[in-house]
Amino acid sequence: MAEATLVRAETVPSPGGGGIMRRLNMFTGIIVGVIVAVAAYKIGQHFWVENDQGNDQAVIAGEVGWVFGFLIGVGAFVAPVRWMLGRDLTHEDEMFLAGKDQGISRYFRFTTDHKVVGTQYLVLAMTTFGVGGILAMTIRTQLIVPGNSLLGGQAYNAIVGVHGIIMIVSTIIMVVGPWGNFVMPLMIGARDMAFPRINALSFWTLFPAIPIFLSIAAFGGIPTGWVAYAPLSDQAPPGIDAFAVAIILFVISAALASVNIIVTAMTMRARGMTWNRTPIFVVGIVASSLLGLIALPCFEVAMTFTLLDRSMGASFFVPDQGGSQWLYANLFWLMGHPEVYVILIPGLAAVLEMAPVFSRKPLFGARLAVISLIALVVLSILVWAHHMFVSGWAPTLAGPFMLSTELISIPTGVFFLVLIGTIWRGSVWTRLPMLFVYGFLWNFMIGGVTGIFLSDVPADNELHGALFVTAHFHYTLLGGAMIGAMGALVYWFPKMTGRMLNERVGTVAFWTVMIGFNIAFMAMFADGLAGMPRRVANYQPEFALGNFITTIGAYIIGIGMLTFLYAIVSSWRSGKPAGPNPWHAKTLEWFVPSPPPLENFEVLPVVTGDPYGYGEPDTRHTTHAGAPPLVDAVLVPAGPESTSEASS
Amino acid sequence: MSTVQHNTPSHRLAPEIVAHQQRRAVLFMILADAVFFGSLMFAYFYLRSLNVNDAWLPDGLNTASAPTVWIITAVTVLSALAYRSAEMGIARGQRSSFLGGSLLGLGLVIVAIGLTIHLAMTWPILMSDGSYASTFIVMTFVELVHLVILALLAIGIWNRGIQGKLDDGNYNHATLVGYFWYWVALTAVLGALTTFYVN
Amino acid sequence: MVSDETDVLPLVLPRPSIRERLRTPSGKLFVSVGIVFLVMTVVLLVFSVWWPNATLPATASDTEEAVRLTMLVFAISAAPVMAVVWAVGYFSLRHWGHGGETPPEDGPPIRGNNRVTVAWLVVSSVLTGFLLVWGLSELTSTTTLSTSSSPIVIKVTGQQWLWSFSYPQNGDISSPDLVLPIDKPVVFDVTSTDVIHSFWLPEMGIKVDANPSVTSSITTTPNLLGTFNVRCAELCGLNHSYMETTATVMTAADFDAWVRSQGGTPTTATTTEAGNG
Ligand code: HEA
Ligand code: HEA
Ligand code: CUA
Ligand SMILES: [Cu+2]
């Protein structure tokens, strides 16, 4: 009690500065952002004239103004400026930033606690998934019968593109957010991320990108799909400017988050946690972040060029002025392919993490799995041109790229071996997260094998630009990565919220999504094989049956997703309390209370083995309090990596 | 002390570890920037090799002044060397040599910024003059952004030096600024190499 | 470990026969999983043969025939791999599954198995190698002209949102829809006047992007009479959905007649006869 008052007393603004910082939050950010945006837009309108589609320069100025205004208003620049001035944040400032004793309001500020940031990311991602999902339902409603006039061509194209990019962005938000930010530090036994302020910064640079994404609709939409191919993007309405600004911002945010995640995992693992003893999920998150860090800047360059082409008359992609559409395609896919693996790897790694827990068996071939992850990262940088087989660019390279693409199936196949090896003769505990492991096995196998079809150049000559591709990547993205991620959400939900996810409702949701998904996208394969192109608002009657089935399947997915959402929201509010370790798992996050307290670990854990010693009475992962004692519980005080101002 | 103090992680990690983390982080950010810059170089050389519609460098178009580019590059490299000497100074505990060296470096960076702006004001090309002009202008602009960020960092580190926040036992921030400084110098050299491959 | 075992088992037991080994508990296990595996393989094989036949339109060129064959070969090679994974998955759920609030007893601590791992790696590498070699040889055969006779060259131009075709060898006549003689190799030189389109003949298995300021070529030999689709396979703006027309494959004589009716000079019938004769 006395301590509590002491703590609360500390949050009162100290007279010596930092006063402004304490008053900044999301709402001041929005206010300043809007003011600056409007001013910048007006200035833009003053200096540049409108063309027939709109005023690109003014739109860009407005969007950029919004970003800077928001960042100023939310307090993102406080720390850098104070660094320059040499007036570093005091200890009280840092505790304030960590959100100590601020209740719900800490979710609306520049808060540095990794669990707050992880939760912010999670809620943001669920919102954007919802938007993407509603757009998907709109797409399917338009395509339910041929000749439907619900949407015009322009609106349809815009909706498809925004659906694609919003979904892709949301899945990456899931990677850096709940996984990289909430779960990963707990799993390695850290008290926070390496750079808590960069952490907050990465979230608050992403946040203003979302309104910009949505403003695409207000500025005429994008006619280009999520790939934003030039030169089509050069003749598009200013919606594409909003798209480009949002992407650039997103890339900056993701880079900040990735650096933080990588450095945290490299330097802050608990004592004794060698790479061999690190949970596979952590390895996966690092691999995924590293891949994103390397790949995403190419997208940033492509978008910068697009903006300059459109607003400054530059000629990167304008053939008449010496530009080339292939420059765009190369830059885009140099990002685009690695990025699909950025999305896949966390879902995959989560599945690998859950399989041992629910099979009550060690991970089969753990070392091989890590090697394959590394192989995946390396190979996926070398395959981008398989998206350009029919583009006419470098036909002589078709063979080499076919080689590199098909090679990926060897490391990817290894994960299937690891999974069935882990399940083999296990005592499979059929709780909800395990169902998602099975769902992954089913869906991703189909997605992967159809990918091999596409990697064959002559087959791709037939299938490119057809719905077969769309079905392939929904099987990998939704069926593989998303199903894995949803399983992970169920698995770590108790840790995040302290409550169990309602398993009955969750199971219904799982089966609804799985069945709807397989109905929808199997039928889409059929349409694609029969020759229906992608991104068409209308189609010939011969595809009517397939599309009708797909739409019905999609509605079933929608119902399933809503059920899942209901399970999450209702369990978050009033689920059964979980206790620290509901799954009887061995990784470190399960040895702290659920939800974990501000600094996670009262006493830093020490790791003595890998976390998969199921059925091996002589091994254990940690000597942390709460871990089942092997001989007797040893509490290890803060180790050498944590010298202590506190204890001195 | 209070539990709060006890619980703050950033105050409990050893300074060597924090320093190590910060160096890693800066290097990774430079890696991302390297991909960004590499993509620009790729765009330059790719468009040059394609020369679509002979519009890489349309006939009669002048190019940016190569000597100016190299002067800017030389100034940037010199600034990095000056900062290098400053860094070696602080490592030996000589604060004054750090302050002198970093101030000189800062001055040179500001000169480089001025020269870059001068280059941009006087070059005979517009964004819309073909793909050479576009890529070259963008690369120059990115270099300018690099230099401006560098100037801000230099002011900050110099100011911190004045305030006595750096000494021979604790100069990690100076090292971090150094990483970025050398990287900017390297990009300047790489960018300037394009003047050999105009046509 | 080795010395431990020799302590317990001083005798080297004779290796039991297959039949006996199949009767041990783990032998029975392999048999049951094997049965599930075989059933699934057969289902998948039937599916991969039946599905294309039941749902796909006719093949109208040699290229499309090659593509269909490739897809069949790929499906057949993938079927056992898919079946292995799914059989183990299904079997584990059916036979080793436990519900409940607390986890079941831990399973056997198997951390790896070199023989299985090596076998898996070898099989997937061999399979990949096979698919690659197959693909490369097919790539060469579909991109080189299939007969010795000189091909018809057709210029294809995409623009928002129509196709146009011109026949430089037949007096540069042009047409908004595609007309082709049967059994005669065609080379399409594809380009665009505005954004990227993609010239696609779904029933003939060929596609190439129509890029502004670039000409890309692709070749095939139509081998079925009839009217087929020409579609645009790259999003090109507002009316991308409607950027389609027809490709009519006719006999050489009909083709010549058509060329004549368009005011061009027919050349096909004679060369085809020469080629055939
Ligand atoms: C998570 C996302 C994800 C994943 C994991 C993959 C995985 C793969 N993808 Fe996919 N792909 C996309 C997302 C993804 N893809 C997207 C979004 C697009 C379209 C973008 C757009 O145009 O909008 C696309 C498009 C795309 C194309 C271009 C199609 C076109 O537009 O013309 C190609 C072509 O090669 C391809 C191939 C592959 C291959 C070979 C794999 C492989 O990695 C799969 C490997 C896995 C297996 C093969 C299964 C397991 C392996 C075994 C059990 C071993 C033994 C098996 C064999 C040897 C067969 N993909
Ligand atoms: C991670 C990526 C991801 C995910 C999860 C999805 C999910 C879905 N996608 Fe998407 N899709 C893409 C990535 C993704 N898609 C991409 C990259 C493209 C290419 C774009 C382009 O060509 O440019 C594309 C294109 C695309 C098309 C092709 C359009 C065309 O080419 O003409 C279609 C058509 O059916 C489609 C359908 C669906 C459906 C029905 C779902 C469903 O599974 C969605 C189900 C999910 C939800 C419903 C959300 C969760 C629900 C809630 C949070 C509650 C609120 C929901 C409701 C009110 C229903 N998608
Ligand atoms: Cu032309 Cu789509
Ligand atoms: Cu790819």
Side-chain angles (χ1 to χ4, degrees), chain A residues 83-86 88 91 266-268 313 315 319 322 393 599 638 642-643, chain B residues 7-10 12 21 24 35 46 53 128 130-131 134 159-160 163 165 173:
Chain A
W83 178 86
M84 271 186 72
L85 298 178
D88 292 336
H91 176 67
M266 284 173 90
T267 61
M268 293 181 72
S315 54
W393 178 74
E599 305 279 343
S642 35
T643 52
Chain B
N7 266 333
T8 309
S10 43
R12 302 195 55 186
Q21 288 178 330
R24 287 274 172 96
V35 178
Y46 184 62
N53 291 326
S128 48
S131 42
S134 296
N159 185 23
R160 290 174 78 88
Q163 296 182 359
K165 299 213 167 176
H173 286 200

mmCIF file of all heavy atoms in Angstrom, chain A residues 83-86 88 91 266-268 313 315 319 322 393 599 638 642-643, chain B residues 7-10 12 21 24 35 46 53 128 130-131 134 159-160 163 165 173:
data_model
loop_
_atom_site.group_PDB
_atom_site.id
_atom_site.type_symbol
_atom_site.label_atom_id
_atom_site.label_comp_id
_atom_site.label_asym_id
_atom_site.label_seq_id
_atom_site.Cartn_x
_atom_site.Cartn_y
_atom_site.Cartn_z
ATOM 1 N N TRP A 83 17.686 14.335 -26.824
ATOM 2 C CA TRP A 83 19.027 13.782 -26.995
ATOM 3 C C TRP A 83 19.947 14.833 -27.572
ATOM 4 O O TRP A 83 21.062 15.047 -27.120
ATOM 5 C CB TRP A 83 18.967 12.556 -27.908
ATOM 6 C CG TRP A 83 20.316 11.954 -28.175
ATOM 7 C CD1 TRP A 83 20.969 11.044 -27.400
ATOM 8 C CD2 TRP A 83 21.183 12.235 -29.275
ATOM 9 N NE1 TRP A 83 22.190 10.745 -27.954
ATOM 10 C CE2 TRP A 83 22.348 11.458 -29.104
ATOM 11 C CE3 TRP A 83 21.107 13.072 -30.389
ATOM 12 C CZ2 TRP A 83 23.409 11.473 -29.994
ATOM 13 C CZ3 TRP A 83 22.169 13.103 -31.291
ATOM 14 C CH2 TRP A 83 23.308 12.312 -31.094
ATOM 15 N N MET A 84 19.439 15.529 -28.613
ATOM 16 C CA MET A 84 20.266 16.554 -29.243
ATOM 17 C C MET A 84 20.635 17.643 -28.256
ATOM 18 O O MET A 84 21.738 18.157 -28.253
ATOM 19 C CB MET A 84 19.514 17.173 -30.418
ATOM 20 C CG MET A 84 19.734 16.456 -31.713
ATOM 21 S SD MET A 84 18.959 17.372 -33.041
ATOM 22 C CE MET A 84 20.068 18.756 -33.151
ATOM 23 N N LEU A 85 19.651 17.997 -27.437
ATOM 24 C CA LEU A 85 19.921 19.061 -26.476
ATOM 25 C C LEU A 85 20.752 18.561 -25.313
ATOM 26 O O LEU A 85 21.169 19.337 -24.476
ATOM 27 C CB LEU A 85 18.598 19.618 -25.934
ATOM 28 C CG LEU A 85 17.697 20.243 -26.985
ATOM 29 C CD1 LEU A 85 16.412 20.707 -26.369
ATOM 30 C CD2 LEU A 85 18.424 21.387 -27.658
ATOM 31 N N GLY A 86 20.954 17.257 -25.269
ATOM 32 C CA GLY A 86 21.730 16.702 -24.165
ATOM 33 C C GLY A 86 20.915 16.587 -22.899
ATOM 34 O O GLY A 86 21.463 16.358 -21.825
ATOM 35 N N ASP A 88 18.772 14.261 -21.490
ATOM 36 C CA ASP A 88 18.201 12.926 -21.638
ATOM 37 C C ASP A 88 17.014 12.743 -20.721
ATOM 38 O O ASP A 88 16.857 13.433 -19.721
ATOM 39 C CB ASP A 88 19.276 11.883 -21.317
ATOM 40 C CG ASP A 88 20.368 11.896 -22.362
ATOM 41 O OD1 ASP A 88 20.064 12.334 -23.497
ATOM 42 O OD2 ASP A 88 21.496 11.509 -22.060
ATOM 43 N N HIS A 91 14.815 9.225 -15.124
ATOM 44 C CA HIS A 91 14.218 7.963 -14.727
ATOM 45 C C HIS A 91 12.708 8.074 -14.593
ATOM 46 O O HIS A 91 11.964 7.192 -15.045
ATOM 47 C CB HIS A 91 14.825 7.522 -13.401
ATOM 48 C CG HIS A 91 14.209 6.288 -12.880
ATOM 49 N ND1 HIS A 91 14.356 5.084 -13.524
ATOM 50 C CD2 HIS A 91 13.402 6.079 -11.819
ATOM 51 C CE1 HIS A 91 13.682 4.188 -12.856
ATOM 52 N NE2 HIS A 91 13.086 4.757 -11.826
ATOM 53 N N MET A 266 18.781 -11.091 -30.232
ATOM 54 C CA MET A 266 20.199 -11.434 -30.261
ATOM 55 C C MET A 266 20.874 -11.185 -28.932
ATOM 56 O O MET A 266 21.796 -11.917 -28.561
ATOM 57 C CB MET A 266 20.919 -10.611 -31.346
ATOM 58 C CG MET A 266 20.651 -11.103 -32.753
ATOM 59 S SD MET A 266 21.339 -9.992 -33.959
ATOM 60 C CE MET A 266 22.941 -10.693 -34.150
ATOM 61 N N THR A 267 20.459 -10.154 -28.231
ATOM 62 C CA THR A 267 21.246 -9.748 -27.064
ATOM 63 C C THR A 267 20.555 -9.968 -25.726
ATOM 64 O O THR A 267 21.193 -9.855 -24.700
ATOM 65 C CB THR A 267 21.606 -8.254 -27.140
ATOM 66 O OG1 THR A 267 20.388 -7.509 -27.165
ATOM 67 C CG2 THR A 267 22.400 -7.953 -28.373
ATOM 68 N N MET A 268 19.274 -10.226 -25.702
ATOM 69 C CA MET A 268 18.599 -10.235 -24.411
ATOM 70 C C MET A 268 18.051 -11.595 -24.013
ATOM 71 O O MET A 268 17.199 -11.686 -23.139
ATOM 72 C CB MET A 268 17.489 -9.187 -24.407
ATOM 73 C CG MET A 268 18.072 -7.796 -24.483
ATOM 74 S SD MET A 268 16.858 -6.515 -24.445
ATOM 75 C CE MET A 268 16.313 -6.563 -22.757
ATOM 76 N N GLY A 313 6.843 14.823 -62.507
ATOM 77 C CA GLY A 313 7.136 14.574 -63.907
ATOM 78 C C GLY A 313 8.374 13.732 -64.126
ATOM 79 O O GLY A 313 8.982 13.769 -65.200
ATOM 80 N N SER A 315 10.612 10.219 -64.708
ATOM 81 C CA SER A 315 10.347 9.282 -65.798
ATOM 82 C C SER A 315 10.834 7.886 -65.495
ATOM 83 O O SER A 315 11.265 7.174 -66.377
ATOM 84 C CB SER A 315 11.029 9.787 -67.063
ATOM 85 O OG SER A 315 12.384 9.996 -66.797
ATOM 86 N N PRO A 319 7.848 4.911 -70.309
ATOM 87 C CA PRO A 319 8.714 4.476 -71.409
ATOM 88 C C PRO A 319 9.067 5.609 -72.375
ATOM 89 O O PRO A 319 10.200 5.675 -72.852
ATOM 90 C CB PRO A 319 7.888 3.398 -72.109
ATOM 91 C CG PRO A 319 6.923 2.930 -71.093
ATOM 92 C CD PRO A 319 6.646 4.088 -70.205
ATOM 93 N N GLY A 322 12.145 7.251 -71.315
ATOM 94 C CA GLY A 322 13.300 6.436 -70.938
ATOM 95 C C GLY A 322 13.114 5.606 -69.684
ATOM 96 O O GLY A 322 14.060 5.030 -69.176
ATOM 97 N N TRP A 393 10.225 -9.927 -69.569
ATOM 98 C CA TRP A 393 11.540 -9.529 -69.087
ATOM 99 C C TRP A 393 12.438 -10.752 -69.067
ATOM 100 O O TRP A 393 12.108 -11.761 -68.448
ATOM 101 C CB TRP A 393 11.414 -8.932 -67.679
ATOM 102 C CG TRP A 393 12.724 -8.543 -67.068
ATOM 103 C CD1 TRP A 393 13.487 -7.471 -67.403
ATOM 104 C CD2 TRP A 393 13.418 -9.220 -66.018
ATOM 105 N NE1 TRP A 393 14.619 -7.436 -66.634
ATOM 106 C CE2 TRP A 393 14.604 -8.491 -65.782
ATOM 107 C CE3 TRP A 393 13.169 -10.362 -65.264
ATOM 108 C CZ2 TRP A 393 15.533 -8.875 -64.819
ATOM 109 C CZ3 TRP A 393 14.096 -10.747 -64.306
ATOM 110 C CH2 TRP A 393 15.261 -10.011 -64.081
ATOM 111 N N GLU A 599 7.209 -5.605 -15.492
ATOM 112 C CA GLU A 599 8.569 -5.973 -15.901
ATOM 113 C C GLU A 599 8.723 -7.478 -16.114
ATOM 114 O O GLU A 599 9.827 -8.017 -16.052
ATOM 115 C CB GLU A 599 9.575 -5.481 -14.867
ATOM 116 C CG GLU A 599 9.473 -3.994 -14.575
ATOM 117 C CD GLU A 599 10.182 -3.153 -15.615
ATOM 118 O OE1 GLU A 599 10.996 -3.706 -16.356
ATOM 119 O OE2 GLU A 599 9.907 -1.948 -15.682
ATOM 120 N N ALA A 638 19.384 -11.871 -10.236
ATOM 121 C CA ALA A 638 19.795 -11.195 -11.463
ATOM 122 C C ALA A 638 21.240 -11.474 -11.778
ATOM 123 O O ALA A 638 22.105 -11.321 -10.938
ATOM 124 C CB ALA A 638 19.587 -9.698 -11.284
ATOM 125 N N SER A 642 22.833 -8.295 -15.783
ATOM 126 C CA SER A 642 21.990 -7.254 -15.231
ATOM 127 C C SER A 642 22.657 -6.649 -14.018
ATOM 128 O O SER A 642 22.263 -6.913 -12.904
ATOM 129 C CB SER A 642 20.641 -7.844 -14.888
ATOM 130 O OG SER A 642 20.822 -9.164 -14.444
ATOM 131 N N THR A 643 23.690 -5.922 -14.246
ATOM 132 C CA THR A 643 24.270 -5.180 -13.141
ATOM 133 C C THR A 643 23.259 -4.165 -12.691
ATOM 134 O O THR A 643 22.354 -3.799 -13.426
ATOM 135 C CB THR A 643 25.528 -4.424 -13.581
ATOM 136 O OG1 THR A 643 25.183 -3.674 -14.712
ATOM 137 C CG2 THR A 643 26.658 -5.361 -13.856
ATOM 138 N N ASN B 7 12.727 -2.350 -10.591
ATOM 139 C CA ASN B 7 12.094 -3.025 -11.708
ATOM 140 C C ASN B 7 12.451 -2.469 -13.080
ATOM 141 O O ASN B 7 11.983 -2.979 -14.072
ATOM 142 C CB ASN B 7 10.578 -2.942 -11.557
ATOM 143 C CG ASN B 7 10.068 -4.175 -10.873
ATOM 144 O OD1 ASN B 7 10.691 -5.216 -10.961
ATOM 145 N ND2 ASN B 7 8.958 -4.052 -10.202
ATOM 146 N N THR B 8 13.184 -1.410 -13.139
ATOM 147 C CA THR B 8 13.365 -0.792 -14.449
ATOM 148 C C THR B 8 14.450 -1.482 -15.238
ATOM 149 O O THR B 8 15.619 -1.428 -14.849
ATOM 150 C CB THR B 8 13.725 0.682 -14.289
ATOM 151 O OG1 THR B 8 12.760 1.252 -13.422
ATOM 152 C CG2 THR B 8 13.686 1.379 -15.598
ATOM 153 N N PRO B 9 14.121 -2.103 -16.320
ATOM 154 C CA PRO B 9 15.129 -2.905 -17.013
ATOM 155 C C PRO B 9 16.236 -2.052 -17.584
ATOM 156 O O PRO B 9 17.400 -2.412 -17.489
ATOM 157 C CB PRO B 9 14.336 -3.579 -18.128
ATOM 158 C CG PRO B 9 13.150 -2.726 -18.318
ATOM 159 C CD PRO B 9 12.858 -2.065 -17.010
ATOM 160 N N SER B 10 15.879 -0.929 -18.147
ATOM 161 C CA SER B 10 16.907 -0.156 -18.832
ATOM 162 C C SER B 10 17.962 0.301 -17.831
ATOM 163 O O SER B 10 19.076 0.609 -18.202
ATOM 164 C CB SER B 10 16.283 1.043 -19.521
ATOM 165 O OG SER B 10 15.354 1.628 -18.659
ATOM 166 N N ARG B 12 18.990 -1.591 -15.461
ATOM 167 C CA ARG B 12 19.676 -2.725 -14.883
ATOM 168 C C ARG B 12 20.600 -3.409 -15.875
ATOM 169 O O ARG B 12 21.459 -4.166 -15.473
ATOM 170 C CB ARG B 12 18.653 -3.717 -14.346
ATOM 171 C CG ARG B 12 17.764 -3.044 -13.320
ATOM 172 C CD ARG B 12 17.021 -4.048 -12.533
ATOM 173 N NE ARG B 12 17.953 -5.001 -11.934
ATOM 174 C CZ ARG B 12 17.546 -6.059 -11.288
ATOM 175 N NH1 ARG B 12 16.265 -6.314 -11.185
ATOM 176 N NH2 ARG B 12 18.408 -6.882 -10.755
ATOM 177 N N GLN B 21 24.064 -3.351 -27.836
ATOM 178 C CA GLN B 21 22.756 -3.366 -28.506
ATOM 179 C C GLN B 21 22.611 -2.182 -29.448
ATOM 180 O O GLN B 21 22.137 -2.313 -30.571
ATOM 181 C CB GLN B 21 21.642 -3.279 -27.466
ATOM 182 C CG GLN B 21 21.456 -4.538 -26.668
ATOM 183 C CD GLN B 21 20.376 -4.350 -25.632
ATOM 184 O OE1 GLN B 21 20.156 -3.246 -25.144
ATOM 185 N NE2 GLN B 21 19.693 -5.418 -25.297
ATOM 186 N N ARG B 24 24.587 -2.681 -32.612
ATOM 187 C CA ARG B 24 23.890 -3.618 -33.499
ATOM 188 C C ARG B 24 22.733 -2.933 -34.210
ATOM 189 O O ARG B 24 22.553 -3.057 -35.416
ATOM 190 C CB ARG B 24 23.300 -4.777 -32.696
ATOM 191 C CG ARG B 24 24.272 -5.768 -32.182
ATOM 192 C CD ARG B 24 24.555 -6.825 -33.239
ATOM 193 N NE ARG B 24 25.648 -7.679 -32.784
ATOM 194 C CZ ARG B 24 25.467 -8.843 -32.182
ATOM 195 N NH1 ARG B 24 24.246 -9.298 -31.983
ATOM 196 N NH2 ARG B 24 26.477 -9.552 -31.789
ATOM 197 N N VAL B 35 19.988 -1.301 -48.511
ATOM 198 C CA VAL B 35 19.111 -1.875 -49.530
ATOM 199 C C VAL B 35 18.418 -0.751 -50.287
ATOM 200 O O VAL B 35 18.288 -0.786 -51.517
ATOM 201 C CB VAL B 35 18.073 -2.821 -48.898
ATOM 202 C CG1 VAL B 35 17.157 -3.371 -49.968
ATOM 203 C CG2 VAL B 35 18.752 -3.939 -48.166
ATOM 204 N N TYR B 46 20.211 0.046 -64.298
ATOM 205 C CA TYR B 46 19.262 -0.721 -65.110
ATOM 206 C C TYR B 46 18.663 0.154 -66.213
ATOM 207 O O TYR B 46 18.658 -0.224 -67.393
ATOM 208 C CB TYR B 46 18.163 -1.287 -64.209
ATOM 209 C CG TYR B 46 17.195 -2.176 -64.938
ATOM 210 C CD1 TYR B 46 17.626 -3.337 -65.548
ATOM 211 C CD2 TYR B 46 15.854 -1.843 -65.019
ATOM 212 C CE1 TYR B 46 16.747 -4.145 -66.232
ATOM 213 C CE2 TYR B 46 14.962 -2.651 -65.691
ATOM 214 C CZ TYR B 46 15.411 -3.794 -66.299
ATOM 215 O OH TYR B 46 14.538 -4.595 -66.979
ATOM 216 N N ASN B 53 13.699 3.766 -75.675
ATOM 217 C CA ASN B 53 13.400 4.840 -76.637
ATOM 218 C C ASN B 53 14.514 5.872 -76.736
ATOM 219 O O ASN B 53 14.268 7.049 -77.005
ATOM 220 C CB ASN B 53 12.105 5.576 -76.251
ATOM 221 C CG ASN B 53 10.901 4.684 -76.436
ATOM 222 O OD1 ASN B 53 10.878 3.861 -77.337
ATOM 223 N ND2 ASN B 53 9.908 4.832 -75.584
ATOM 224 N N SER B 128 11.968 15.777 -65.525
ATOM 225 C CA SER B 128 11.285 15.194 -66.684
ATOM 226 C C SER B 128 12.197 15.045 -67.894
ATOM 227 O O SER B 128 11.736 14.680 -68.963
ATOM 228 C CB SER B 128 10.091 16.063 -67.044
ATOM 229 O OG SER B 128 10.491 17.406 -67.093
ATOM 230 N N GLY B 130 14.122 12.834 -69.074
ATOM 231 C CA GLY B 130 14.639 11.493 -69.337
ATOM 232 C C GLY B 130 15.064 10.800 -68.055
ATOM 233 O O GLY B 130 15.081 11.382 -66.973
ATOM 234 N N SER B 131 15.416 9.530 -68.201
ATOM 235 C CA SER B 131 15.615 8.746 -66.985
ATOM 236 C C SER B 131 16.951 9.023 -66.320
ATOM 237 O O SER B 131 17.078 8.866 -65.115
ATOM 238 C CB SER B 131 15.446 7.263 -67.269
ATOM 239 O OG SER B 131 16.067 6.916 -68.468
ATOM 240 N N SER B 134 16.115 11.875 -64.004
ATOM 241 C CA SER B 134 15.311 11.459 -62.860
ATOM 242 C C SER B 134 16.141 10.733 -61.815
ATOM 243 O O SER B 134 16.123 11.083 -60.629
ATOM 244 C CB SER B 134 14.182 10.542 -63.318
ATOM 245 O OG SER B 134 13.306 11.219 -64.154
ATOM 246 N N ASN B 159 27.163 18.809 -29.107
ATOM 247 C CA ASN B 159 26.553 19.431 -27.938
ATOM 248 C C ASN B 159 26.731 18.554 -26.707
ATOM 249 O O ASN B 159 27.037 19.027 -25.615
ATOM 250 C CB ASN B 159 25.077 19.663 -28.257
ATOM 251 C CG ASN B 159 24.381 20.405 -27.145
ATOM 252 O OD1 ASN B 159 25.040 21.094 -26.392
ATOM 253 N ND2 ASN B 159 23.082 20.239 -27.047
ATOM 254 N N ARG B 160 26.542 17.255 -26.915
ATOM 255 C CA ARG B 160 26.704 16.351 -25.776
ATOM 256 C C ARG B 160 28.157 16.329 -25.311
ATOM 257 O O ARG B 160 28.432 16.201 -24.122
ATOM 258 C CB ARG B 160 26.250 14.948 -26.149
ATOM 259 C CG ARG B 160 24.754 14.857 -26.340
ATOM 260 C CD ARG B 160 24.342 13.503 -26.844
ATOM 261 N NE ARG B 160 24.331 12.503 -25.778
ATOM 262 C CZ ARG B 160 23.279 12.274 -25.001
ATOM 263 N NH1 ARG B 160 22.177 12.971 -25.167
ATOM 264 N NH2 ARG B 160 23.346 11.376 -24.050
ATOM 265 N N GLN B 163 28.662 19.274 -23.173
ATOM 266 C CA GLN B 163 28.066 19.095 -21.861
ATOM 267 C C GLN B 163 28.795 18.047 -21.025
ATOM 268 O O GLN B 163 28.359 17.714 -19.933
ATOM 269 C CB GLN B 163 26.605 18.701 -21.998
ATOM 270 C CG GLN B 163 25.776 19.786 -22.644
ATOM 271 C CD GLN B 163 24.326 19.399 -22.739
ATOM 272 O OE1 GLN B 163 23.941 18.313 -22.331
ATOM 273 N NE2 GLN B 163 23.527 20.290 -23.278
ATOM 274 N N LYS B 165 29.103 14.814 -21.630
ATOM 275 C CA LYS B 165 28.451 13.504 -21.514
ATOM 276 C C LYS B 165 29.273 12.395 -22.141
ATOM 277 O O LYS B 165 28.832 11.254 -22.171
ATOM 278 C CB LYS B 165 27.075 13.550 -22.172
ATOM 279 C CG LYS B 165 26.167 14.550 -21.531
ATOM 280 C CD LYS B 165 24.736 14.131 -21.543
ATOM 281 C CE LYS B 165 24.014 15.056 -20.596
ATOM 282 N NZ LYS B 165 22.634 14.946 -20.475
ATOM 283 N N HIS B 173 27.797 6.710 -27.932
ATOM 284 C CA HIS B 173 26.978 7.513 -28.854
ATOM 285 C C HIS B 173 27.844 8.123 -29.942
ATOM 286 O O HIS B 173 27.406 8.248 -31.085
ATOM 287 C CB HIS B 173 26.228 8.595 -28.088
ATOM 288 C CG HIS B 173 25.083 8.037 -27.293
ATOM 289 N ND1 HIS B 173 24.031 8.802 -26.858
ATOM 290 C CD2 HIS B 173 24.824 6.790 -26.872
ATOM 291 C CE1 HIS B 173 23.180 8.042 -26.191
ATOM 292 N NE2 HIS B 173 23.641 6.814 -26.186
#
